Amino acid sequence: KFFAALDKLKSKTTADFFRVALFTGQRRANVQAMRWEQLDLRAGVWQIPDTKKNTPHTVPLVPEVVKILKARQPEGAAGGWVFPSHSGAGHLVEPKKAWRSVLKAAGLEGYRVHDLRHTIASWQAAAGTSLQIIGKGLGHTQTKTTERYAHVENSPVREAMSRAVALMVKAG
């Protein structure tokens, strides 16, 4: 429902912004301010020069993001912004109205754009990805920070426990 709601947005720029935010797990402000010179689509990386911690961060780009960005390249050349806008900043700023529209169309309530960051972390955790790897992708320096983003469901925990118990029983 979420992806179908994105497809219904009037602005392709905003829909692409939400997808890139979800698929990279990066902060809203960093995605909004993404510039073409920060991207190496051939290598599949995005170099964020300045993050919340005032440090650079390298983000690996999954094929879905590279595809979105390649499709945007011809239109995104103006001013160097990937998500250009007529705002004073020159790039997309705080797409609140579009976000509310997506949530309504998808039948969701109470979510923030920042929750897209939590979403990719949670899905990675559910897939069995270590907190260290999830944190590296999010730009965290401490695993403790990542824990609050990676909402782990019981099923992967149960599966891991079952594998361990099966090994113990077999060894016994």
Side-chain angles (χ1 to χ4, degrees), residues 34-117:
M34 181 187 281
R35 298 184 67 89
W36 289 110
E37 67 263 16
Q38 299 169 348
L39 298 167
D40 182 342
L41 298 181
R42 204 171 271 146
V45 292
W46 170 24
Q47 299 288 338
I48 302 175
D50 190 24
T51 62
K52 181 179 172 182
K53 297 232 184 233
N54 298 317
T55 58
H57 175 53
T58 301
V59 181
L61 300 175
V62 297
E64 292 80 359
V65 171
V66 171
K67 182 178 177 181
I68 292 166
L69 295 173
K70 282 184 176 179
R72 294 195 59 72
Q73 248 175 339
E75 67 180 273
W81 304 110
V82 174
F83 302 105
S85 169
H86 297 296
S87 71
H91 59 74
L92 189 66
V93 178
E94 201 64 53
K96 289 180 183 178
K97 186 177 177 183
W99 182 245
R100 285 191 300 268
S101 171
V102 168
L103 292 181
K104 184 176 181 182
L108 300 169
E109 290 182 28
Y111 291 95
R112 306 162 299 150
V113 173
H114 188 76
D115 292 320
L116 296 174
R117 186 167 162 83

Side-chain angles (χ1 to χ4, degrees), residues 129-149:
T129 306
S130 73
L131 288 179
Q132 183 180 8
I133 296 296
I134 296 169
K136 178 123 174 94
L138 296 174
H140 293 159
T141 55
Q142 297 183 17
T143 323
K144 190 83 174 154
T145 307
T146 309
E147 287 177 8
R148 65 186 176 141
Y149 282 82

Side-chain angles (χ1 to χ4, degrees), residues 11-34:
S11 167
K12 182 172 179 354
T13 296
T14 306
D16 286 349
F17 162 76
F18 289 137
R19 282 186 180 91
V20 170
L22 174 63
F23 294 156
T24 63
Q26 300 311 300
R27 290 180 181 85
R28 176 185 49 80
N30 291 121
V31 179
Q32 287 171 187
M34 181 187 281

